[in-house]
Amino acid sequence: MDQRRLLLRAVKSFHTFAWFTIEACMAYVLYTGIRGRTDRKTGVAAVVVAGETLIFAANGFHCPLTAVARGLGDGKGSVTDIYLPPWFARNLPGIHVPLLLAAALLHWRNWRNHAVRESQRRLLLGR
């Protein structure tokens, strides 16, 4: 295997690892949102997801590794085609956007409920 193909495989493998890590963070943010918990670990996971989203958006809604893959000889510049099913890879943004919205709404609800409970507690304590 020549060096460019080996590098391309490494880029695609790194992309797959990064994608799984980001999606694990997304799943955790959704899980804690559903469970009504918003804590420091959720914040860290949310920063990972938000960072990935900002990088994706800043790159014209294309993965920055696409240009790297093209430069290494992949005609389509695809970084998802090695380990993700094609239909899934094509539809990642359409799948991810509703999940981002759901996570944001769940944690907004948690924050609002916490603020209401806290204000009720203060009223009861006379503070």
Side-chain angles (χ1 to χ4, degrees), residues 86-97:
W87 66 269
F88 192 66
R90 277 192 313 275
N91 294 300
L92 276 174
I95 294 167
H96 212 253
V97 168

Side-chain angles (χ1 to χ4, degrees), residues 51-67:
E52 183 271 342
T53 303
L54 290 172
I55 289 168
F56 186 73
N59 201 51
F61 296 96
H62 292 87
C63 179
L65 293 177
T66 299

